[in-house]
Amino acid sequence: MIHDVRQIPRSGRAAIYGTGGRAAKLLTLLRRHRPDIEPVAFLDSAPRSAAHLGLPVFAGAEAARAGHDFVIIAAYCYDQIAQVLREHGGARPVHIFLDLEAATRPNPPREPADTALTGAVLARCGSLAEFRAGLRRLPDKLNFTLSSDCNCACIFCPCSSRPRGGQFLDPALFRRIAAQMAALGILGADFSPIMGEGLLHPRFMDLLEAARETGMRDIRITTNGTLLPAEPAQARRLLDLADGISVSSPGLAPEAYLKVFRSGRYEAVMAGLEALGRAKLDGALGRVNICLRTYRPFEETFEDQGFLRLLPLFKAGGLFFDPADGSIEFDTWAGAVDAEAFSGSMRVATGGARPGEPPCCMLLAPAATVLPDGFLRLCPCRYQDDPHDELVLGNLADEPLDALLFGEAHRALVERWCRGELPRVCRACALYAPPNPAWTGGA
């Protein structure tokens, strides 16, 4: 895995896998800095033309025809590409190019949202019937926060200094919700916490199995990785049940876990990642993606002892890592996180809705989350003092899912926003994004 073309350890004819911006950048860098490497072809999973930027394009399944000595993958899904090359690449060496500059470049200032959409949304809030007829768009998935507790105290998380409450989502309630989701055609479940670590749930694996049994087709997990199973059979079981596991990491070194996650469970993370990586290479179905939340430049994390230890699994496609999935920019959760704790490369993200702008897409899509006590809340990402705030629609133990999504509480929240009464947590949230005009009937 390289982030500088001068790191490529060989000369000769190179085929570049990918035809997007990363591949074009790699071609420019090779011609500028590596005259000993001759780019001879592009490879692509589904070529749209026979040539690109002056070079022939071959399908990945025809990679052996490209006339190259080695391949440089310059595309996001390199783990899947590695599998194609193992089958069709003619046993030629493979390198992976990661574009660090694109991952660490500050986000450009957000363009103001179209305030005309605010009026379009408001016009559909006159009654519950109008609201449902004009704006109802059921989500593809629901998020589930299974536990109010966590075994880490991350410096970028507002939960780390607050009592958690020791709550776990009731398995029987989860099954009821999952059945309602299936009936509505919501077939994705994302175990991504707004608070707490999901793997602390004593029946975590049972909940995954229940999701599959009720028809969930896309099951995702976000975890700090400290409780991943190291035993091979359990790792295989987890990865067969989950379509994707995102492991947040401050960097694969003990000192990084102590500094950012304030956890000493580094070796447990490594053992779990190794077990999952081997399970993937043995044919397990899911994908393991490591997402860096780091205080250091990304290039420094490539020298971490853990990264070097896992490098064979990364290169073989057992584990996946791309800087584009990581972050050195952190939201303060509308002031709930003390930015004084940030250090090194960590930057403070800024944002928030401007007066008159339409409701956030997470309210209109919506990206709802189920809290451990059964309450349904519209946003799965941010809260300030307590997640039981203005964004809560009701409790799924008392009311069915279909009555809460685009129900009266949902309608009233959207109407208040359009009239300038934004929820407190939304006013400075760095994740605010305006809705798709199609959701409101706009152009």
Side-chain angles (χ1 to χ4, degrees), residues 133-167:
L135 294 176
R136 181 176 167 90
R137 301 287 189 278
L138 290 176
D140 296 325
K141 68 177 182 178
L142 280 189
N143 296 272
F144 289 88
T145 295
L146 301 180
S147 169
S148 63
D149 288 329
C150 190
N151 57 350
C152 291
C154 302
I155 61 177
F156 52 79
C157 176
C159 307
S160 59
S161 60
R162 298 195 177 110
R164 301 302 186 102
Q167 290 180 317

Side-chain angles (χ1 to χ4, degrees), residues 73-98:
I73 300 176
Y76 177 75
C77 296
Y78 66 77
D79 53 340
Q80 300 169 19
I81 293 168
Q83 177 64 33
V84 172
L85 291 175
R86 280 196 294 272
E87 297 174 4
H88 305 287
R92 291 172 175 84
V94 174
H95 304 283
I96 300 163
F97 174 66
L98 303 176

Side-chain angles (χ1 to χ4, degrees), residues 14-16 27 31 38-42 49-58:
I16 298 174
L27 178 64
R31 288 173 170 169
E38 179 189 2
V40 295
F42 285 101
S49 63
H52 180 62
L53 299 179
L55 298 177
V57 182
F58 296 89

